[in-house]
């Protein structure tokens, strides 16, 4: 059996973010979702207008 030495350095949490970073990402995601939904609704409106002719 082979035993490895464990480093005494603490592991860095790559998922740790402060409140400002989380807020920016959350806002960005909501903007993306809203823009996608608006684009989808615009396509439906255009399709409806064409079908109404």
């Amino acid at each position: 059996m082979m035993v490895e030495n464990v480093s005494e350095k603490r592991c860095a949490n790559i998922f740790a973010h402060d409140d400002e970073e989380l807020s920016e990402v959350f806002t960005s995601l909501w903007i993306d979702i809203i823009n996608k939904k608006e684009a989808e609704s615009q396509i439906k409106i255009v399709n409806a207008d064409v079908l109404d002719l």
Side-chain angles (χ1 to χ4, degrees):
M1 182 166 113
M2 191 171 203
V3 177
E4 295 181 24
N5 290 334
V6 177
S7 173
E8 291 184 14
K9 288 175 129 181
R10 292 189 64 193
C11 293
N13 183 353
I14 61 170
F15 300 106
H17 300 286
D18 62 15
D19 289 343
E20 184 177 337
E21 289 174 316
L22 290 174
S23 178
E24 287 176 19
V25 171
F26 184 78
T27 302
S28 177
L29 287 173
W30 268 113
I31 290 170
D32 290 346
I33 290 169
I34 291 168
N35 287 338
K36 182 178 177 184
K37 291 292 183 185
E38 285 182 355
E40 288 173 359
S41 68
Q42 292 299 322
I43 290 171
K44 289 178 185 175
I45 291 170
V46 170
N47 287 339
D49 289 344
V50 170
L51 294 175
D52 289 340
L53 293 175

